[in-house]
Amino acid sequence: MTHLLWGDALFWLLAVVGVFLTGISKSGFAGGAGVVAVPLLALVVSPALAVTLMLPLLLVMDAQIITHHRRTLCPGELRALLPAALVGIALGSYLLTALPEAPLQLLLGGMCIAFAAVQWRRPRLAARRGLGAVMGVIAGVTSTLIHAGGPPLNMYLATRQLARAVWLSTAAAFFASINVVKVFAYQAVDLWELDALLLSAVLLPVAVAGILAGHRIQAVLDEATFQRGVMLCLGFSGLLLIAKGLA
C-alpha cells in the first residue's frame, strides 16, 4: 500500500501539515501540537502505518531538542515516569496490532476528542504519591498508539511546579527515551516497512523547518493561542476518524 502514497496529494498535504506542527511543538510549546500528526495521517492511511511514519521523525526531533535543553534535565522525574511508561508501551503495542482497523480508528478518534478537551480546560491535578506511575502508563499507551504522550505527561509535570526550561528538558528526555523503546516495540509486532522509512526521510526537512519556525513563532504568538488552534484541529480530526471508523 505504501508505494501508492508517493503520488497521493492528500497524503502529502496532511503529512506536511502534521509534521510541521509537530516540529513547532517540539521547539518549546510543551508538546501539545504533536498530538495532531497521527490523526491527520490516519485519515488516509492505517493507524499502524501513521505511527511508524512519524517515529523516525520524532527521534530526529528529540535529538535536536535534547541537545538544546540537556543542561536543565531533571533525572528524578524521569525515574518516576519511565518504568511505568514501559508497561504502557507494551499495552499500546498489543492494542495497535490486536484491534481491527475500524475499532482502532474509533479508539483513536475518541482519544483525540478527549485530549482536545483536556488541553482546552487544562485540569490541575493534585500532587499525589504514585501519580507519576499512573501518568507514565497512560503516556506510554497513548504515545504508542498515536504519539500523544504529551497531555498525560503535562498533567503530571504541572503538579511538580518546575521551571519552564526544566519542564521542557524533562519532557524532551522522556519522549526521546520512550521513542527509542518504541522502535523495538514496533519491530516486535512487525510494523516496519522500507517504504515507510523512505517516506519519513522525505518528510525530514519539514520536521526541521517546523522546529526552526517554532522558535520564531514563540516570539510573536503566545502558547495558549497556538494550542487552542491545534486542539480545534485535533478535535475535528477525531470526529473524522470516528466517522471513518463507523463507516
Side-chain angles (χ1 to χ4, degrees), residues 78-177:
L78 293 180
R79 287 193 292 269
L81 291 162
L82 284 176
L86 297 179
V87 176
I89 291 171
L91 178 57
S93 299
Y94 170 77
L95 292 173
L96 196 57
T97 53
L99 288 178
E101 186 166 332
L104 187 56
Q105 288 168 341
L106 293 174
L107 174 62
L108 297 185
M111 287 170 55
C112 291
I113 294 171
F115 285 160
V118 165
Q119 289 287 99
W120 196 276
R121 296 297 299 272
R122 287 280 185 174
R124 292 284 181 177
L125 298 180
R128 298 181 183 275
R129 185 178 180 85
L131 182 62
V134 173
M135 290 300 168
V137 171
I138 296 173
V141 172
T142 57
S143 181
T144 304
L145 287 174
I146 196 175
H147 295 317
L153 177 67
N154 289 338
M155 289 169 68
Y156 168 73
L157 292 178
T159 70
R160 309 302 293 170
Q161 299 182 347
L162 303 175
R164 179 176 174 80
V166 177
W167 182 317
L168 291 175
S169 62
T170 302
F174 174 77
F175 288 122
S177 300

Side-chain angles (χ1 to χ4, degrees), residues 7-244:
D8 189 331
L10 180 58
F11 164 78
W12 287 109
L13 174 62
L14 296 178
V16 167
V17 171
V19 171
F20 190 72
L21 286 174
T22 301
I24 293 174
S25 177
K26 288 283 188 179
S27 72
F29 280 102
V35 179
V36 79
V38 171
L40 286 176
L41 287 171
L43 294 173
V44 290
V45 301
S46 70
L49 179 56
V51 294
T52 53
L53 277 172
M54 283 301 301
L55 185 53
L57 299 172
L58 292 173
L59 289 168
V60 173
M61 288 186 270
D62 288 337
Q64 185 169 353
I65 298 304
I66 285 179
T67 301
H68 185 72
H69 290 292
R70 65 184 183 279
R71 295 183 180 178
T72 54
L73 177 64
C74 184
E77 300 298 346
L78 293 180
R79 287 193 292 269
L81 291 162
L82 284 176
L86 297 179
V87 176
I89 291 171
L91 178 57
S93 299
Y94 170 77
L95 292 173
L96 196 57
T97 53
L99 288 178
E101 186 166 332
L104 187 56
Q105 288 168 341
L106 293 174
L107 174 62
L108 297 185
M111 287 170 55
C112 291
I113 294 171
F115 285 160
V118 165
Q119 289 287 99
W120 196 276
R121 296 297 299 272
R122 287 280 185 174
R124 292 284 181 177
L125 298 180
R128 298 181 183 275
R129 185 178 180 85
L131 182 62
V134 173
M135 290 300 168
V137 171
I138 296 173
V141 172
T142 57
S143 181
T144 304
L145 287 174
I146 196 175
H147 295 317
L153 177 67
N154 289 338
M155 289 169 68
Y156 168 73
L157 292 178
T159 70
R160 309 302 293 170
Q161 299 182 347
L162 303 175
R164 179 176 174 80
V166 177
W167 182 317
L168 291 175
S169 62
T170 302
F174 174 77
F175 288 122
S177 300
I178 66 173
N179 283 338
V180 169
V181 174
K182 280 153 56 179
V183 171
F184 300 99
Y186 290 172
Q187 176 63 34
V189 293
D190 199 26
L191 292 185
W192 290 113
E193 298 179 32
L194 178 59
D195 259 6
L197 293 174
L198 293 175
L199 289 167
S200 298
V202 172
L203 288 166
L204 182 57
V206 179
V208 175
I211 292 175
L212 296 176
H215 291 306
R216 298 196 174 199
I217 288 173
Q218 290 179 65
V220 296
L221 182 67
D222 66 280
E223 181 167 347
T225 301
F226 175 72
Q227 294 289 8
R228 287 192 188 99
V230 169
M231 290 307 114
L232 284 172
C233 180
L234 179 63
F236 184 65
S237 299
L239 291 173
L240 291 178
L241 275 173
I242 289 174
K244 187 177 179 182

